Amino acid sequence: IVRNNCTMLEGLQASELTLYSILIFLFLENLVNLYLTRRQIFVYETSKDIPTELRDVMKKETFEKARLYGLDKANYEVFKLLVCDIAISSIELYTGFVAMVWMRAMEVTARVGLDNGSEIQVSIVFLLLINVIGTFKDMPFKIYSTFVLEEKHGFNKQTPAFFIKDQIKSFLVGQMLSIPIVAAIVYIVQIGGNYFFIWLWAFVGVVSLVLMMVYPVYIAPLFDKFRALEDGELKSSIEQLAASLKFPLGKLFVVEGSKRSAHSNAYFTGLFGAKRIVLFDTLLLNKGLPDDSTLTDDEKGKGCENKEVLAVLAHELGHWKLGHIRKNIIIMQVQMFLIFMAFSQLFKYSPLYQAVGFPPNVQPILIGFLVIVMYVLAPYNTVISFAMTILSRRFEYQADEFANGLGYSKELGKALVKLHIDNLGFPIYDWMYSAWNHSHPTLLQRLERLKSLQKKEK
């Protein structure tokens, strides 16, 4: 009895140490984010003059709009960080919220006629419950961000009906995808033996690649309307650019992103065989429409001219030609392998479960996975995230250099400025905030690099 009591006491002490370690790191990480965001807020508040490089292309009125937009977003970011990432997350951890939801999932599983002795079935019900709770928890912030913040600065194009329908579709599609994946993960851990992490890694790797191929063809059209790019000069030029690089272009699409937001983008999809290039209608001059009579006065004249669109695509195709997509996939697979291997070594450690409110000897696989990936490996994830940010910025410079090599340096610079202005991007950033948060170099950094490349060529 004494030995059992000592063991329980040691487990309790270990669980408390685990809990407080998680809470301390969570607090410190968010404190760093808060400090960096406050530094950027200071930049927004004190920057009143347009940078010399942009004085010929950026109006004072636009600069002021971008400054206020950035300031509002940063203040909202601080509020959300304090409420969600510090207050709510800490309360949920300290009170054993996850354990309470798991116990309720066991009750619901039995109530609906399922077997609450089956960990897979309970895990599925738990996933549904935690996702429903998360949806309602995030909803006030989504509504504020869309209908107050973005609306105030002219970017929101969603009606309340569109927003509600979009959220319902997102939730349903998310559950349809996540439920079978979670069930399979729990099953693999149960039957996989000591080296289950290898099978788990192989399974998740295959699923990730399949989703990357399936998403643009079957899932993305559920949320946005896609149309084939009309025949004309732009389409012919894109096809010629793709052919010159031996890019296996399949189809060219324009997505009506303007129904959701006024922000612009372009991307290509597909891992094997023919690939798709997708252009946001907001990227194209007058949304790519031959007749601008249906556009509002604010929309007319926005977007990039054909040569500037080609420059943007030359940059994107540079990522493909230089192997950045392949490198990122390899890095992602290595990361998953290391995470699953760490999970296999830690998931039987009882104090991890007691730290989040579970009684001794209750160790659900899904809970162990979430706790280890989200909290135990949080320091590792932070370091890797920063390293990937550095790598991403390097890739962006390389893609810019690739576009420059194709003769699109001047057009790319114009496109970057135009997109920055259309999206009310603020051109001035605190160096620490930018280094930590931005996966792309700032506008001024990219313009400076393009200018130096042009000088080198001359």
Side-chain angles (χ1 to χ4, degrees):
I1 293 173
V2 171
R3 186 180 300 168
N4 287 339
N5 287 339
C6 289
T7 303
M8 289 179 63
L9 183 61
E10 288 173 1
L12 184 61
Q13 290 173 341
S15 66
E16 287 182 348
L17 179 62
T18 302
L19 174 61
Y20 290 126
S21 297
I22 290 172
L23 288 170
I24 289 169
F25 181 80
L26 182 72
F27 178 76
L28 291 176
E29 183 182 33
N30 285 302
L31 195 63
V32 170
N33 287 328
L34 183 62
Y35 168 71
L36 294 175
T37 306
R38 287 299 308 168
R39 285 178 63 100
Q40 182 58 30
I41 287 174
F42 178 77
V43 171
Y44 288 131
E45 291 174 339
T46 57
S47 299
K48 304 295 184 180
D49 297 322
I50 303 173
T52 307
E53 301 91 328
L54 300 176
R55 284 177 185 169
D56 294 336
V57 291
M58 194 175 201
K59 296 178 182 177
K60 181 68 175 176
E61 180 187 0
T62 306
F63 179 82
E64 184 63 15
K65 284 182 178 179
R67 187 183 72 84
L68 294 175
Y69 179 47
L71 184 60
D72 284 350
K73 284 198 299 181
N75 284 323
Y76 168 70
E77 187 180 327
V78 168
F79 175 76
K80 190 176 180 183
L81 186 146
L82 291 172
V83 173
C84 292
D85 298 338
I86 295 180
I88 294 178
S89 294
S90 299
I91 291 170
E92 287 180 350
L93 279 168
Y94 192 78
T95 58
F97 174 75
V98 171
M100 288 189 281
V101 176
W102 181 267
M103 298 307 169
R104 180 54 60 89
M106 293 187 68
E107 295 174 8
V108 172
T109 304
R111 197 177 301 161
V112 297
L114 298 174
D115 180 12
N116 66 355
S118 166
E119 188 172 337
I120 291 178
Q121 294 182 31
V122 177
S123 295
I124 290 172
V125 175
F126 169 82
L127 184 68
L128 283 170
L129 289 178
I130 208 74
N131 284 341
V132 168
I133 293 168
T135 298
F136 281 101
K137 190 168 62 177
D138 292 341
M139 194 56 62
F141 298 97
K142 286 184 179 179
I143 292 172
Y144 178 85
S145 175
T146 303
F147 293 103
V148 178
L149 181 57
E150 295 292 305
E151 184 82 33
K152 176 182 175 181
H153 295 279
F155 287 111
N156 174 48
K157 303 299 178 184
Q158 300 182 58
T159 63
F162 182 94
F163 177 83
I164 292 169
K165 187 169 73 173
D166 201 54
Q167 296 301 312
I168 292 173
K169 282 195 290 188
S170 295
F171 181 83
L172 293 177
V173 171
Q175 305 322 299
M176 289 172 63
L177 292 174
S178 60
I179 285 175
I181 292 172
V182 165
I185 287 173
V186 174
Y187 180 70
I188 290 170
V189 175
Q190 287 177 333
I191 68 163
N194 293 332
Y195 297 99
F196 73 83
F197 64 92
I198 297 175
W199 301 108
L200 191 57
W201 170 68
F203 167 74
V204 174
V206 170
V207 169
S208 300
L209 295 176
V210 169
L211 286 177
M212 289 173 70
M213 293 185 290
V214 168
Y215 179 83
V217 180
Y218 299 106
I219 299 176
L222 296 174
F223 298 93
D224 294 298
K225 186 177 179 181
F226 291 75
R227 71 172 193 266
L229 180 64
E230 296 83 0
D231 292 333
E233 180 189 346
L234 179 59
K235 184 176 180 180
S236 300
S237 299
I238 293 174
E239 289 173 343
Q240 289 171 14
L241 175 63
S244 69
L245 299 173
K246 298 182 180 179
F247 178 78
L249 177 62
K251 295 182 180 180
L252 280 164
F253 288 99
V254 176
V255 58
E256 293 184 3
S258 56
K259 289 188 176 180
R260 184 182 305 276
S261 170
H263 293 298
S264 313
N265 203 355
Y267 62 92
F268 69 85
T269 62
L271 288 178
F272 311 107
K275 304 182 189 301
R276 298 176 166 208
I277 288 179
V278 179
L279 308 173
F280 277 51
D281 59 351
T282 46
L283 175 68
L284 307 177
L285 184 64
N286 294 328
K287 296 185 182 178
L289 299 173
D291 180 15
D292 64 1
S293 60
T294 59
L295 302 178
T296 64
D297 291 338
D298 188 51
E299 292 172 331
K300 289 179 181 178
K302 283 192 173 182
C304 296
E305 296 177 359
N306 287 354
K307 286 186 178 180
E308 294 163 353
V309 174
L310 284 173
V312 171
L313 286 178
H315 168 92
E316 295 300 327
L317 294 177
H319 286 303
W320 169 79
K321 193 71 174 178
L322 297 170
H324 295 164
I325 312 301
R326 182 176 63 254
K327 291 172 186 175
N328 277 329
I329 290 174
I330 292 171
I331 291 171
M332 180 181 73
Q333 296 299 324
V334 172
Q335 281 294 104
M336 284 197 300
F337 182 82
L338 294 175
I339 287 171
F340 291 145
M341 186 168 66
F343 168 64
S344 71
Q345 300 300 310
L346 297 171
F347 84 107
K348 291 185 179 179
Y349 184 57
S350 182
L352 287 178
Y353 301 87
Q354 294 177 46
V356 293
F358 282 87
N361 301 320
V362 178
Q363 301 178 12
I365 291 168
L366 179 58
I367 301 300
F369 183 76
L370 293 176
V371 171
I372 290 167
V373 172
M374 291 175 62
Y375 300 119
V376 177
L377 296 179
Y380 169 80
N381 293 334
T382 300
V383 172
I384 293 299
S385 176
F386 182 58
M388 290 302 296
T389 299
I390 295 172
L391 182 64
S392 174
R393 291 164 74 95
R394 180 178 175 82
F395 283 170
E396 292 303 318
Y397 278 133
Q398 290 176 353
D400 282 351
E401 188 172 352
F402 182 84
N404 172 76
L406 295 176
Y408 287 105
S409 183
K410 187 177 178 182
E411 289 78 10
L412 180 58
K414 284 183 179 178
L416 290 173
V417 170
K418 196 172 284 187
L419 292 173
H420 222 69
I421 291 173
D422 288 351
N423 290 296
L424 287 185
F426 195 65
I428 306 172
Y429 285 96
D430 173 75
W431 71 272
M432 288 180 65
Y433 176 86
S434 179
W436 186 256
N437 289 284
H438 290 165
S439 61
H440 288 53
T442 65
L443 173 64
L444 296 181
Q445 288 171 335
R446 293 179 74 178
L447 292 178
E448 180 62 31
R449 180 62 66 89
L450 287 171
K451 193 182 294 183
S452 68
L453 290 171
Q454 287 175 307
K455 284 181 181 178
K456 213 179 272 186
E457 287 182 354
K458 288 180 181 178

